Amino acid sequence: MNFQKLCVLGLGYIGLPTASTFAAVSGLKVLGVDINPSVVETLQKGQIHIHEPGLHRLVTQAIQSGNMTASTQVEEADAFLIAVPTPFKLHELGDYNGQKFKLADMTAVASATEAIVPHLRKGNLVILESTSPPRTTVDLVRPILERSGLKAGIDFFLCYSAERVLPGQILRELIENARVIGGVTPESARAGHELYATFVKGKIIETDATTAEMVKVMENTTRDVNIALANEFSRLAERFGVDVWEAIGLANLHPRINILSPGPGVGGHCISVDPWFFVEAAPELTPLIYSARQVNDSQPHFVVQRVEQAFQSSEGTHSAEQGGTSVLHGKKIAALGLAYKPDVDDLRESPAAEIVRLLQADGAQVKAWEPFKPTARLDGIRMATDLNDAIQNADMILLLVKHSEFAGLDPQVIASGTKARLALDTVNAWNVDEWQRAGFQLLRLGVHTAPVPRAA
Ligand code: SAJ
């Protein structure tokens, strides 16, 4: 097929890097479309609205070459690529025998597809990239596009092809990762293959649309279940008086074992969302996936419990409540990091932000410092102006994200800028001996330091 013009709907973390790669690397004419006018204006001014290494340079190159433009309106093109979010519904839960589960909100996919209908022509290719519940391409996207009077697989090509890139390494992975292209017909998969082959260096594999959708959700579900296992191991290690980080390192010496890292919880827009697509589709078949989601979603509560225990043991008290008041009441805590994972500026579904909210709900006075988004405004969260502002008057330093700049902090320098002598590291970034030498009592998640109460 001869692709000259591509229209990318959704200019977020996936759509913008993909659109600019097609423009700058493949040399296609690309129209990037976003319903948010401020995203379009930002791009038109030569700026970008997200942080991703190398992205600003690539977008500038794409725009300056004349190959990429941005608009709020869809136009005719040879191919359309949908990369809009598939979050879960905020105010509605599913229910299976009393077990509540989250439901996918497919509104953005449906309306982006509707926006293509008036511009769809014979011979066009439409690709859905948004991570979606299996059967979305055939059951949701196809019927909407066929309102045009054209038939999918006969008059136009229709595919599903998920991105698999890791935030922080998007531009490299976009080109190097293997791509699975699922068509509603083999010819559709072939057409999708030809489009991505204009820049993808990894293997490109053709299959059917529903298999490609399932592959994507399986990948992220596997990661979620494995992180839940690591989080459970960290709880067990505390019970047994073991350092989970050491234990995982040792277990991973086994050639067929690769345990992931425990942490404050699972955030972001993918791993904490996608497994619900399986649970929603078949709750009776997914008890393991459901439990993993429960474990990971409860990890912020577990961290808050550890903060309470840290204060109790430093004060020599034995109960999380003193005369009905939480031990956290009035405690000043410097929370380092609000992003959902290291070295990104994305705060969506961030367990760190949830921990801050939970601590505040128990009466703690938290000041949060997020170097990747210092001006972030999150409901009810007090942001520090810089690291010093966060730690200055704190009673405890709570490390929530393993940003490189936090991992590299010198405890001697920190000690001179704060009155806190208590620190809790939830991500295994700091060295206990070094922090002790600087005068801190450093506690770590997954390491036995205080008696862990047994469940009632
Ligand atoms: N996390 C842990 N322990 C770990 C690894 C991660 O607690 O050992 C946490 C992170 O801190 C974060 C969350 O899990 O809160 C998710 O982070 P991540 O790095 O595992 O994944 P994402 O959401 O940034 O990107 C994932 C990737 N999927 C897989 O690795 C299977 C990426 O390749 C996908 O393209 C992306 O989801 C997506 O868009 O679906």
Side-chain angles (χ1 to χ4, degrees):
M1 277 187 77
N2 183 18
F3 298 105
Q4 294 191 351
K5 183 170 173 189
L6 170 69
C7 181
V8 176
L9 291 89
L11 296 176
Y13 280 86
I14 298 306
L16 186 57
T18 305
S20 43
T21 301
F22 270 116
V25 181
S26 308
L28 299 188
K29 294 280 176 213
V30 178
L31 174 70
V33 176
D34 203 289
I35 53 164
N36 183 346
S38 88
V39 168
V40 172
E41 279 160 29
T42 306
L43 289 169
Q44 283 166 343
K45 279 190 237 147
Q47 290 155 7
I48 57 172
H49 59 295
I50 47 186
H51 171 90
E52 175 64 30
L55 183 60
H56 194 189
R57 193 148 39 96
L58 187 73
V59 171
T60 309
Q61 199 187 328
I63 292 176
Q64 282 177 355
S65 70
N67 278 352
M68 188 162 108
T69 48
S71 167
T72 54
Q73 299 300 319
V74 178
E75 287 175 12
E76 273 190 29
D78 302 310
F80 299 88
L81 193 154
I82 302 169
V84 296
T86 47
F88 46 70
K89 292 180 181 163
L90 285 180
H91 305 292
E92 194 186 336
L93 289 174
D95 189 331
Y96 175 71
N97 290 340
Q99 289 190 338
K100 305 284 181 205
F101 51 84
K102 293 182 179 167
L103 300 167
D105 180 352
M106 301 304 289
T107 323
V109 170
S111 49
T113 311
E114 281 160 11
I116 295 172
V117 174
H119 308 282
L120 192 64
R121 301 289 173 261
K122 269 196 166 186
N124 280 171
L125 164 66
V126 181
I127 300 171
L128 176 64
E129 273 217 13
S130 313
T131 307
S132 301
R135 298 197 61 83
T136 299
T137 305
V138 289
D139 289 346
L140 178 71
V141 173
R142 177 165 64 187
I144 295 176
L145 291 174
E146 289 186 344
R147 288 180 205 158
S148 63
L150 301 173
K151 285 266 164 260
I154 296 170
D155 300 316
F156 65 93
F157 303 109
L158 176 59
C159 289
Y160 179 82
S161 176
E163 53 72 25
R164 303 159 111 182
V165 290
L166 198 68
Q169 305 180 31
I170 291 181
L171 299 187
R172 184 176 58 77
E173 290 208 354
L174 208 51
I175 290 176
E176 290 177 4
N177 286 2
R179 273 255 166 199
V180 179
I181 318 261
V184 297
T185 54
E187 295 72 26
S188 289
R190 187 75 224 150
H193 186 146
E194 284 176 25
L195 179 66
Y196 285 104
T198 59
F199 74 78
V200 170
K201 292 207 180 110
K203 216 172 173 182
I204 302 180
I205 302 107
E206 295 169 31
T207 182
D208 66 90
T210 308
T211 301
E213 290 165 340
M214 182 158 176
V215 166
K216 171 69 188 181
V217 183
M218 277 167 48
E219 290 166 2
N220 283 357
T221 301
T222 301
R223 200 154 167 85
D224 195 45
V225 172
N226 281 312
I227 297 169
L229 194 58
N231 283 332
E232 264 188 15
F233 287 155
S234 82
R235 298 174 191 190
L236 286 168
E238 293 191 7
R239 176 69 60 83
F240 297 141
V242 165
D243 176 338
V244 77
W245 307 96
E246 181 196 357
I248 289 175
L250 296 176
N252 283 351
L253 293 174
H254 187 292
R256 284 172 297 284
I257 298 295
N258 182 21
I259 303 170
L260 296 179
S261 301
V266 170
H269 199 51
C270 309
I271 309 270
S272 65
V273 176
D274 305 347
W276 291 116
F277 296 167
F278 281 148
V279 177
E280 176 179 355
E284 73 286 4
L285 300 179
T286 47
L288 175 66
I289 299 171
Y290 181 85
S291 298
R293 282 277 72 247
Q294 298 292 105
V295 169
N296 288 336
D297 274 355
S298 66
Q299 196 66 0
H301 295 267
F302 188 73
V303 170
V304 170
Q305 225 186 343
R306 292 289 274 107
V307 174
E308 282 172 357
Q309 286 159 11
F311 278 118
Q312 281 162 34
S313 61
S314 81
E315 289 171 9
T317 52
H318 296 290
S319 151
E321 292 202 352
Q322 296 286 307
T325 310
S326 162
V327 68
L328 294 177
H329 190 81
K331 293 291 186 312
K332 297 192 174 71
I333 300 174
L336 304 193
L338 283 179
Y340 84 93
K341 70 173 196 174
D343 297 331
V344 301
D345 74 337
D346 192 342
L347 312 186
R348 292 178 298 175
E349 316 298 333
S350 168
E354 191 185 345
I355 289 166
V356 171
R357 290 201 178 94
L358 290 170
L359 290 168
Q360 290 182 163
D362 278 350
Q365 296 172 17
V366 186
K367 255 192 181 184
W369 168 236
E370 176 43 71
F372 284 86
K373 263 216 173 134
T375 54
R377 281 161 193 254
L378 290 179
D379 236 11
I381 294 185
R382 196 153 59 110
M383 299 296 288
T385 50
D386 55 23
L387 178 65
N388 287 336
D389 178 38
I391 63 174
Q392 204 170 22
N393 294 313
D395 300 311
M396 174 195 267
I397 298 176
L398 175 61
L399 179 62
L400 294 173
V401 185
K402 202 174 184 174
H403 288 320
S404 310
E405 68 176 84
F406 290 157
L409 285 175
D410 180 346
Q412 301 286 350
V413 176
I414 297 295
S416 63
T418 178
K419 69 183 185 64
R421 287 298 172 261
L422 186 59
L424 173 59
D425 172 0
T426 64
V427 290
N428 195 33
W430 292 340
N431 179 290
V432 174
D433 293 339
E434 284 175 18
W435 282 72
Q436 252 165 14
R437 275 198 297 277
F440 287 96
Q441 186 194 359
L442 176 66
L443 308 173
R444 288 181 302 147
L445 190 76
V447 183
H448 174 85
T449 34
V452 180
R454 286 172 186 275

